[in-house]
mmCIF file of all heavy atoms in Angstrom:
data_model
loop_
_atom_site.group_PDB
_atom_site.id
_atom_site.type_symbol
_atom_site.label_atom_id
_atom_site.label_comp_id
_atom_site.label_asym_id
_atom_site.label_seq_id
_atom_site.Cartn_x
_atom_site.Cartn_y
_atom_site.Cartn_z
ATOM 1 N N ILE A 98 13.711 31.418 -5.740
ATOM 2 C CA ILE A 98 12.886 31.744 -4.504
ATOM 3 C C ILE A 98 13.116 33.169 -4.008
ATOM 4 O O ILE A 98 12.326 33.987 -4.166
ATOM 5 C CB ILE A 98 13.126 30.794 -3.338
ATOM 6 C CG1 ILE A 98 12.741 29.249 -3.666
ATOM 7 C CG2 ILE A 98 12.170 31.224 -2.068
ATOM 8 C CD1 ILE A 98 11.471 29.118 -4.288
ATOM 9 N N LEU A 99 14.315 33.396 -3.606
ATOM 10 C CA LEU A 99 14.635 34.785 -2.887
ATOM 11 C C LEU A 99 14.520 36.034 -3.965
ATOM 12 O O LEU A 99 14.416 37.046 -3.351
ATOM 13 C CB LEU A 99 15.976 34.629 -2.202
ATOM 14 C CG LEU A 99 16.196 33.559 -1.262
ATOM 15 C CD1 LEU A 99 17.586 33.507 -0.677
ATOM 16 C CD2 LEU A 99 15.130 33.669 -0.080
ATOM 17 N N ALA A 100 14.615 35.684 -5.098
ATOM 18 C CA ALA A 100 14.602 36.818 -6.061
ATOM 19 C C ALA A 100 13.078 37.321 -6.338
ATOM 20 O O ALA A 100 12.930 38.445 -6.937
ATOM 21 C CB ALA A 100 15.214 36.422 -7.407
ATOM 22 N N HIS A 101 12.121 36.538 -5.789
ATOM 23 C CA HIS A 101 10.762 36.824 -6.083
ATOM 24 C C HIS A 101 10.088 37.445 -4.801
ATOM 25 O O HIS A 101 10.389 37.142 -3.639
ATOM 26 C CB HIS A 101 9.923 35.528 -6.502
ATOM 27 C CG HIS A 101 10.591 34.983 -7.761
ATOM 28 N ND1 HIS A 101 10.451 35.584 -8.978
ATOM 29 C CD2 HIS A 101 11.337 33.864 -7.942
ATOM 30 C CE1 HIS A 101 11.086 34.805 -9.836
ATOM 31 N NE2 HIS A 101 11.542 33.831 -9.311
ATOM 32 N N ASP A 102 9.101 38.322 -5.150
ATOM 33 C CA ASP A 102 8.307 38.892 -4.003
ATOM 34 C C ASP A 102 7.281 38.120 -3.333
ATOM 35 O O ASP A 102 6.895 38.397 -2.297
ATOM 36 C CB ASP A 102 7.700 40.199 -4.624
ATOM 37 C CG ASP A 102 8.691 41.332 -5.023
ATOM 38 O OD1 ASP A 102 9.795 41.235 -4.347
ATOM 39 O OD2 ASP A 102 8.397 42.043 -5.927
ATOM 40 N N ASP A 103 6.717 37.100 -4.120
ATOM 41 C CA ASP A 103 5.651 36.369 -3.543
ATOM 42 C C ASP A 103 5.633 34.938 -4.160
ATOM 43 O O ASP A 103 6.386 34.714 -5.205
ATOM 44 C CB ASP A 103 4.254 36.949 -3.785
ATOM 45 C CG ASP A 103 3.937 37.415 -5.080
ATOM 46 O OD1 ASP A 103 4.473 36.720 -6.151
ATOM 47 O OD2 ASP A 103 3.214 38.395 -5.400
ATOM 48 N N PHE A 104 4.717 34.062 -3.685
ATOM 49 C CA PHE A 104 4.727 32.673 -4.145
ATOM 50 C C PHE A 104 4.097 32.620 -5.674
ATOM 51 O O PHE A 104 4.580 31.795 -6.452
ATOM 52 C CB PHE A 104 3.701 31.932 -3.305
ATOM 53 C CG PHE A 104 3.584 30.409 -3.631
ATOM 54 C CD1 PHE A 104 4.568 29.686 -3.791
ATOM 55 C CD2 PHE A 104 2.363 29.805 -3.690
ATOM 56 C CE1 PHE A 104 4.617 28.273 -4.030
ATOM 57 C CE2 PHE A 104 2.183 28.541 -3.866
ATOM 58 C CZ PHE A 104 3.339 27.778 -4.086
ATOM 59 N N THR A 105 3.304 33.578 -6.055
ATOM 60 C CA THR A 105 2.772 33.587 -7.354
ATOM 61 C C THR A 105 3.912 33.725 -8.340
ATOM 62 O O THR A 105 3.886 33.080 -9.354
ATOM 63 C CB THR A 105 1.683 34.725 -7.523
ATOM 64 O OG1 THR A 105 0.564 34.567 -6.564
ATOM 65 C CG2 THR A 105 1.191 34.900 -8.932
ATOM 66 N N ALA A 106 4.680 34.770 -8.129
ATOM 67 C CA ALA A 106 5.746 35.026 -9.036
ATOM 68 C C ALA A 106 6.847 33.929 -9.118
ATOM 69 O O ALA A 106 7.288 33.438 -10.164
ATOM 70 C CB ALA A 106 6.581 36.253 -8.740
ATOM 71 N N ALA A 107 7.075 33.241 -7.890
ATOM 72 C CA ALA A 107 8.101 32.157 -7.880
ATOM 73 C C ALA A 107 7.593 30.850 -8.669
ATOM 74 O O ALA A 107 8.266 30.219 -9.401
ATOM 75 C CB ALA A 107 8.389 31.834 -6.347
ATOM 76 N N LEU A 108 6.208 30.696 -8.524
ATOM 77 C CA LEU A 108 5.576 29.522 -9.132
ATOM 78 C C LEU A 108 5.468 29.635 -10.539
ATOM 79 O O LEU A 108 5.811 28.687 -11.414
ATOM 80 C CB LEU A 108 4.291 29.352 -8.443
ATOM 81 C CG LEU A 108 3.397 28.017 -8.928
ATOM 82 C CD1 LEU A 108 4.219 26.764 -8.505
ATOM 83 C CD2 LEU A 108 2.023 28.028 -8.225
ATOM 84 N N ALA A 109 5.082 30.861 -11.099
ATOM 85 C CA ALA A 109 5.135 31.123 -12.532
ATOM 86 C C ALA A 109 6.545 30.985 -13.137
ATOM 87 O O ALA A 109 6.714 30.439 -14.160
ATOM 88 C CB ALA A 109 4.605 32.534 -12.776
ATOM 89 N N ASP A 110 7.444 31.400 -12.423
ATOM 90 C CA ASP A 110 8.879 31.349 -12.863
ATOM 91 C C ASP A 110 9.338 29.903 -12.845
ATOM 92 O O ASP A 110 10.107 29.482 -13.870
ATOM 93 C CB ASP A 110 9.841 32.207 -12.066
ATOM 94 C CG ASP A 110 11.285 32.121 -12.500
ATOM 95 O OD1 ASP A 110 11.539 32.555 -13.623
ATOM 96 O OD2 ASP A 110 12.131 31.587 -11.757
ATOM 97 N N LEU A 111 8.905 29.110 -11.869
ATOM 98 C CA LEU A 111 9.297 27.738 -11.887
ATOM 99 C C LEU A 111 8.814 26.954 -12.958
ATOM 100 O O LEU A 111 9.544 26.073 -13.607
ATOM 101 C CB LEU A 111 8.876 27.066 -10.459
ATOM 102 C CG LEU A 111 9.050 25.634 -10.289
ATOM 103 C CD1 LEU A 111 10.480 25.249 -10.169
ATOM 104 C CD2 LEU A 111 8.372 25.138 -9.061
#
Side-chain angles (χ1 to χ4, degrees):
I98 303 298
L99 300 178
H101 299 291
D102 294 329
D103 55 28
F104 185 47
T105 299
L108 188 57
D110 182 63
L111 176 65

